[in-house]
């Protein structure tokens, strides 16, 4: 008896009157993209055929063998167009794969973080970038575990331009919504499940963080540090001082900038939609977490 559920009528394998099983094997088909022969089945309940690929993640994908290659290039400072040129595929394929792999990475990142005990020492900061033009800035909230530099959570929020660009931005593109309060609440609500109540949260002196930390982590200690001058080599994130108390987050931000083509300072690549930046970040953050030596050693040791 075949122990496969029919994905169409969702029937569990039961014995029918005439044969042993409702689901029967029914030949093979050859999948040229990864050179595999795939088993087909027939369900006598709903009288339909399906295969072992029907319920898979990559169902109906023609270039499934490109998925991991594209994700690997996107965490290695290669732009979407350049990845298309390297892999000799259309750039629209790369854009589609970014969405697919990004959504998968989002889920995998959540699963990965759920494996660890709740974090006790964490650091929080914002990273700023823009969509299309510097007149449309975007803020990325990021929380990192201090000892291991594991990324606990992040999200992307639109924000209005500040400083000299504020006036030009309003004149050219109209008033821009500030999504930061809403997104910070979302992020901190999610982080409640990953960070201990009586933890120690470190951040810079930004006055806005205080409100969210008090609301979501009332028992936690909040330590603020003065902002320091940044160095060019560290993507404007690493500091010029000898000892940096916020090293964990600054180093992670610098890594993210150096790994993601669109986040490099003075780059030609830009984000067109914050939603895509969000998916690209999911892939980079998952890659970052999976490659932390200290963290993965502790996981292997149990
Ligand atoms: Zn069926």
């Amino acid at each position: 008896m075949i122990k496969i559920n029919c994905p169409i009528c969702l029937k569990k394998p039961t014995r029918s009157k005439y044969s042993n099983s409702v689901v029967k094997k029914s030949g093979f088909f050859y999948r040229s993209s990864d050179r595999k022969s795939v088993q087909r089945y027939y369900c006598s309940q709903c009288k339909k055929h399906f295969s072992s690929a029907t319920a898979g993640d990559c169902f109906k994908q023609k270039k499934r063998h490109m998925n991991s290659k594209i994700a690997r290039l996107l965490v290695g400072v290669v732009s979407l167009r350049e990845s298309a040129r390297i892999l000799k595929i259309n750039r629209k394929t790369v854009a589609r794969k970014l969405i697919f792999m990004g959504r998968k990475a989002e889920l995998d990142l959540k699963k990965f973080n759920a494996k660890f005990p709740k974090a006790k020492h964490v650091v929080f900061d914002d990273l700023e970038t823009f969509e299309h033009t510097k007149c449309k800035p975007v803020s990325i909230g990021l929380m990192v575990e201090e000892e291991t530099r594991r990324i606990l959570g992040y999200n992307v929020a639109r924000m209005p331009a500040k400083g000299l660009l504020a006036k030009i931005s309003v004149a050219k593109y109209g008033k821009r919504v500030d999504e930061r309060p809403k997104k910070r609440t979302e992020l901190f609500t999610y982080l409640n499940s990953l960070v201990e109540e009586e933890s120690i949260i470190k951040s810079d002196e930004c006055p806005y963080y205080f409100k969210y930390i008090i609301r979501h982590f009332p028992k936690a200690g909040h330590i603020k540090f003065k902002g320091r001058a940044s160095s060019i080599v560290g993507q404007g994130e690493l500091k010029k001082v000898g000892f940096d108390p916020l090293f964990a987050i600054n180093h992670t931000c610098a890594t993210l900038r150096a790994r993601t083509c669109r986040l490099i300072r003075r780059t030609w690549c830009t984000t067109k939609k914050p939603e895509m930046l969000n998916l690209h970040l999911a892939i980079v953050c998952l890659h970052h977490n999976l490659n932390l030596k200290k963290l993965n050693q502790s996981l292997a040791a149990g």
Side-chain angles (χ1 to χ4, degrees):
M1 195 169 133
I2 303 161
K3 284 183 180 172
I4 279 188
N5 302 358
C6 169
I8 301 160
C9 61
L10 302 168
K11 281 280 171 204
K12 284 199 174 141
T14 45
R15 277 160 201 277
S16 75
K17 202 173 166 187
Y18 306 106
S19 73
N20 253 352
S21 165
V22 171
V23 175
K24 275 186 189 170
K25 280 186 183 176
S26 168
F28 288 92
F29 75 87
Y30 176 71
R31 189 163 65 199
S32 58
S33 66
D34 59 351
R35 296 175 191 168
K36 263 185 189 158
S37 56
V38 182
Q39 178 73 54
R40 296 184 83 236
Y41 298 97
Y42 175 71
C43 172
S44 54
Q45 193 95 25
C46 59
K47 309 241 173 333
K48 279 184 180 144
H49 286 90
F50 63 93
S51 77
S52 56
T54 307
D57 292 341
C58 306
F59 183 48
K60 283 193 173 172
Q61 286 192 15
K62 299 268 183 191
K63 288 193 162 53
R64 59 181 73 215
H65 56 299
M66 288 291 172
N67 289 347
S68 56
K69 284 181 190 168
I70 290 171
R72 191 65 196 80
L73 286 177
L74 291 180
V75 298
V77 232
V78 183
S79 65
L80 298 194
R81 277 168 198 247
E82 197 54 46
S83 339
R85 275 175 226 130
I86 292 171
L87 298 170
K88 293 181 181 159
I89 50 177
N90 197 295
R91 68 185 162 84
K92 279 169 280 180
T93 312
V94 180
R96 267 187 219 123
K97 296 289 182 194
L98 168 67
I99 298 173
F100 173 75
M101 291 306 279
R103 287 192 185 143
K104 212 168 158 235
E106 271 178 349
L107 296 175
D108 289 350
L109 189 67
K110 280 184 184 168
K111 268 186 216 162
F112 180 81
N113 276 330
K115 279 187 209 168
F116 295 91
K118 285 187 172 184
K120 283 173 192 158
H121 300 266
V122 293
V123 202
F124 181 79
D125 201 5
D126 275 352
L127 191 140
E128 274 171 26
T129 174
F130 58 91
E131 52 168 318
H132 165 232
T133 150
K134 285 229 165 177
C135 290
K136 297 180 186 170
V138 168
S139 157
I140 305 168
L142 190 73
M143 194 180 262
V144 169
E145 190 181 33
E146 201 182 6
E147 296 89 4
T148 54
R149 285 194 295 110
R150 172 164 63 102
I151 296 172
L152 299 167
Y154 72 91
N155 65 17
V156 178
R158 290 182 175 90
M159 62 183 263
K162 5 176 226 193
L164 294 170
L165 281 175
K167 258 189 179 176
I168 303 171
S169 169
V170 173
K172 261 191 159 172
Y173 303 104
K175 214 182 162 203
R176 196 168 157 80
V177 238
D178 192 359
E179 293 178 345
R180 281 175 298 176
K182 188 186 142 204
K183 292 282 179 177
R184 263 185 209 141
T185 311
E186 271 175 30
L187 180 63
F188 274 85
T189 316
Y190 166 66
L191 287 170
N192 265 340
S193 61
L194 296 177
V195 182
E196 239 175 51
E197 271 183 36
E198 291 177 18
S199 58
I200 289 170
I201 303 175
K202 291 181 183 175
S203 76
D204 54 22
E205 283 177 324
C206 178
Y208 302 108
Y209 302 157
F210 188 70
K211 193 169 77 182
Y212 297 94
I213 291 171
I214 281 286
R215 197 182 298 157
H216 294 275
F217 299 97
K219 288 180 187 170
H222 182 200
I223 310 174
K224 285 179 267 184
F225 294 95
K226 216 176 156 188
R228 306 291 184 100
S230 55
S231 70
I232 297 166
V233 278
Q235 291 286 332
E237 300 292 345
L238 288 182
K239 304 301 172 213
K240 271 181 184 166
V241 282
F243 175 74
D244 180 13
L246 299 174
F247 179 77
I249 190 97
N250 290 334
H251 189 281
T252 310
C253 286
T255 319
L256 289 191
R257 279 197 189 274
R259 271 197 183 138
T260 321
C261 183
R262 58 177 93 198
L263 289 182
I264 302 179
R265 300 253 181 205
R266 294 185 183 173
T267 175
W268 204 22
C269 292
T270 56
T271 296
K272 295 286 181 193
K273 284 181 188 164
E275 292 75 25
M276 295 300 132
L277 169 66
N278 193 28
L279 295 173
H280 198 159
L281 272 176
I283 301 175
V284 182
C285 291
L286 182 67
H287 180 82
H288 171 90
N289 277 1
L290 290 174
N291 286 291
L292 290 170
K293 222 174 181 184
K294 223 177 178 182
L295 184 74
N296 289 302
Q297 273 170 359
S298 75
L299 195 67

